[in-house]
Amino acid sequence: MKYAGLLVMPAGFFLTIAALVLFPDAARRTAFVVCGFAVVCVGLVVAVRGHIPARGAHRP
Amino acid sequence: MTAIPIPAPEMNSAETALALALLLLAPLAIAGIALINTGLGRSRSAAQALLGNLALAAIAMIVFALVGASFVGGWPGGWELAIHTGGTAWNLLHAGPLLLGGLAAAAPRAQLAVLFQFLSVAFVAIIPWGSGADRLRLAAGCTVAALLAAIVFPLAAHWVWGGGCLAALGANFSLGAGFIDAGGAGAVHLLGGVCALAVVWISGPRRGKFPKEGLSTAMPGHNASYVLFGCMVALVGWLAWNIAGALLWLPAPLAALPITAINTLLSASGALVATFVVTRLRFGKPDASLCANGWLAGLVASSACAAIVSPGASLFIGAVAGVFTPLLVELFELALSVDDPSGAVTVHGAAGLWGLLAAGMFAPQPGQFVAQLVGIAALLGLMLPLVYLLFSILNRVVPFRVDPDGERIGMDLHELGGGAYPEFVIHRDESYR
């Protein structure tokens, strides 16, 4: 899961870039940039949850 | 590969002298963070922690001078590496002369910008060091600092300050003034917080921090006085940092600088009061280390927006940072089992992110919020996976974590051969179960 989250994060960034390049009008561009940012956040949450260590563990 | 002319706005002599004076005060912010990192660790690792802050800053600045600065650019000479999509050039990296070649002949503004970046790279290097306290080896910390100064920070700094793709969002896509980050909330603090998270993940929690049963073990910092004094020292440096950043990167007129300082003070003050109230309500008494974290979070949030928002907005931004800081520190420790002794992931990462968002929310230019979102997506969505990958590879070569015996006797004895407080009686650690 942790690697899945870390792979999703760049995908979110590239979504924001795609929005800038593909949509000239402000409304759709903003909506897709917000979606891309949300994907980055989802990836971060998945990565953080994937890194929760087992109780009692002290080494990765 | 495309050659793109670098704009070189000039500064008058008064602005140049003021910027230089401010940049000579800015290292106090680094000194404050070093004190805080040391105070929030254990007494048996105090000397190693403070020496580490010095060593990491020194190595980061040397590597940045040798290699990193040439990737940032900002003075004549070299090439811009750009890709083109839909008629737009995405300026990704500069390839300039190594060893600061040609900088001495550059305009004062360009030289001051490089000095600002030198301080910034030292700052970025010590942020993850605090998160790895009590188990991150000095050798590993030094290699992390070198890696950050050679590759990671130059990328971010070029995008944000070196005329790179994020700075050009305004010119290329009419998104406000492009990505705004005058005081380094993104290129320094968000990046530092991201690196801190990667270090914490890779080095793992301290022994006994998360026992098999019950709540996580409290491992309070060994010296609250260091922590709180560090906050006061950091304030002086932060004021200088934010004003110098506004002069260099916006660029703000001299008349706008007092408001930048006032906004920095208001943001930090609002954050401290908010954290004070939140910890008083949650725990019955205000918590000193969390209040220090709140103060720092207010300063970090102000780094993005102190030069462009009103005093009222600055107070609000600081107050919000002060509310979420203790809650997020608690969430990371209790729910997500992230062992971050200095709270850098929250204080630098989350507060930096909030400051950048707030700059977009309160900036007068249309499209600024979208520019800030794109910038955050780049610094978070690209940098965290990149840093995690680089650190994971580095961990195979130079193990991050000290061996169990070193962790038991303390980093001072294990790595330096002597403690920070040789005349103190060291008590048995009750956290080992």
Side-chain angles (χ1 to χ4, degrees):
Chain A
M1 285 295 281
K2 56 188 176 186
Y3 299 116
L6 289 170
L7 286 173
V8 166
M9 293 178 73
F13 166 69
F14 288 118
L15 194 55
T16 65
I17 297 301
L20 294 183
V21 175
L22 295 176
F23 300 119
D25 61 308
R28 279 197 292 176
R29 175 184 280 179
T30 303
F32 271 80
V33 167
V34 169
C35 288
F37 183 72
V39 170
V40 172
C41 294
V42 168
L44 179 64
V45 170
V46 172
V48 169
R49 286 186 62 86
H51 276 88
I52 296 176
R55 279 283 171 168
H58 55 82
R59 294 188 75 85
Chain B
M1 195 161 70
T2 312
I4 299 172
I6 300 168
E10 295 296 331
M11 293 172 83
N12 62 38
S13 55
E15 288 171 337
T16 303
L18 176 61
L20 179 61
L22 290 166
L23 287 174
L24 297 180
L25 280 175
L28 285 174
I30 300 174
I33 294 294
L35 269 176
I36 292 166
N37 282 350
T38 304
L40 287 173
R42 290 170 156 184
S43 59
R44 60 190 176 197
S45 303
Q48 188 250 14
L50 206 45
L51 174 64
N53 282 298
L54 273 175
L56 267 62
I59 287 172
M61 288 190 284
I62 290 170
V63 173
F64 186 72
L66 293 176
V67 185
S70 66
F71 295 141
V72 182
W75 71 92
W79 294 83
E80 305 291 328
L81 305 178
I83 57 171
H84 296 263
T85 54
T88 304
W90 293 84
N91 184 347
L92 299 176
L93 196 64
H94 183 82
L98 298 174
L99 290 167
L100 305 175
L103 181 63
R109 187 185 184 284
Q111 297 189 35
L112 289 167
V114 174
L115 175 57
F116 187 95
Q117 289 157 7
F118 261 79
L119 299 173
S120 299
V121 78
F123 208 150
V124 171
I126 67 167
I127 290 172
W129 179 248
S131 295
D134 300 324
R135 76 273 204 206
L136 184 61
R137 294 167 61 238
L138 196 50
C142 291
T143 49
V144 162
L147 197 63
L148 288 178
I151 300 171
V152 180
F153 174 78
L155 264 180
H158 179 69
W159 294 350
V160 177
W161 296 324
C165 52
L166 296 181
L169 286 174
N172 289 341
F173 298 101
S174 305
L175 296 179
F179 182 63
I180 291 179
D181 182 20
V188 176
H189 299 288
L190 181 54
L191 185 61
V194 159
C195 296
L197 186 58
V199 163
V200 166
W201 280 344
I202 291 169
S203 58
R206 289 169 287 182
R207 289 177 68 87
K209 178 66 183 174
F210 302 115
K212 284 180 181 168
E213 294 171 359
L215 292 173
S216 64
T217 307
M219 294 181 176
H222 83 281
N223 196 325
S225 305
Y226 280 4
V227 176
L228 295 171
F229 183 63
C231 288
M232 295 177 194
V233 173
L235 173 66
V236 181
W238 233 284
L239 285 167
W241 203 293
N242 282 355
I243 297 171
L247 265 173
L248 286 169
W249 307 121
L250 288 180
L254 289 177
L257 300 183
I259 287 291
T260 304
I262 289 169
N263 285 346
T264 305
L265 292 169
L266 280 175
S267 183
S269 303
L272 178 76
V273 171
T275 307
F276 192 96
V277 171
V278 169
T279 54
R280 171 73 176 79
L281 291 174
R282 280 193 63 74
F283 310 124
K285 291 179 181 174
D287 184 285
S289 69
L290 284 175
C291 284
N293 278 344
W295 174 261
L296 279 183
L299 289 173
V300 169
S302 77
S303 291
C305 52
I308 56 171
V309 300
S310 67
S314 203
L315 185 61
F316 171 77
I317 291 163
V320 171
V323 169
F324 75 65
T325 295
L327 302 177
L328 211 50
V329 165
E330 201 175 332
L331 175 79
F332 272 122
E333 177 164 332
L334 298 182
L336 302 174
S337 299
V338 171
D339 183 15
D340 179 8
S342 69
V345 178
T346 302
V347 168
H348 296 278
L353 194 154
W354 161 239
L356 292 169
L357 277 179
M361 288 162 58
F362 292 100
Q365 305 97 327
Q368 191 61 52
F369 185 68
V370 176
Q372 298 301 103
L373 282 183
V374 174
I376 295 169
L379 292 173
L380 191 61
L382 285 185
M383 286 302 177
L384 180 58
L386 173 67
V387 164
Y388 187 83
L389 175 69
L390 292 174
F391 287 3
S392 297
I393 296 169
L394 192 62
N395 186 39
R396 306 268 177 183
V397 182
V398 185
F400 278 20
R401 194 181 177 103
V402 71
D403 59 56
D405 194 46
E407 199 175 350
R408 184 182 59 78
I409 65 173
M411 302 300 278
D412 284 358
L413 277 177
H414 185 73
E415 296 221 292
L416 306 181
Y421 312 103
E423 294 174 350
F424 283 18
V425 176
I426 305 297
H427 297 280
R428 192 170 71 86
D429 190 338
E430 299 294 341
S431 66
Y432 283 81
R433 305 182 212 168

